[in-house]
Amino acid sequence: MLRTLKARGVGKFIAYELPLDMAAARYGVHFEVVMNGARDSDDLRVLDVNEDRTVRLFRFSGL
């Protein structure tokens, strides 16, 4: 994963494992679009690059 992130230009990140059902419930249709657009060759899928929205949807204290 680290090699893939680096190859895509991601130098810094915070990683936190989330239950898929929680992410699906909070992102709704957007989650389904990302999951349905995935191919077997995809080794990394990005659900959200908007850190403001991510922080609103997932508070560290609630995880």
Side-chain angles (χ1 to χ4, degrees):
M1 183 173 152
L2 294 176
R3 275 184 251 134
T4 301
L5 288 171
K6 187 174 182 179
R8 293 182 183 213
V10 177
K12 295 180 181 182
F13 63 93
I14 296 173
Y16 202 93
E17 187 173 355
L18 299 171
L20 283 179
D21 58 339
M22 178 189 289
R26 295 190 185 178
Y27 278 103
V29 173
H30 179 68
F31 182 88
E32 293 300 321
V33 169
V34 170
M35 293 305 289
N36 290 333
R39 295 177 299 274
D40 288 339
S41 63
D42 290 341
D43 55 353
L44 177 68
R45 284 168 266 172
V46 177
L47 180 60
D48 198 341
V49 295
N50 181 330
E51 62 274 0
D52 292 333
R53 178 177 44 225
T54 303
V55 170
R56 280 194 316 273
L57 291 175
F58 301 98
R59 302 220 178 254
F60 286 117
S61 63
L63 301 172

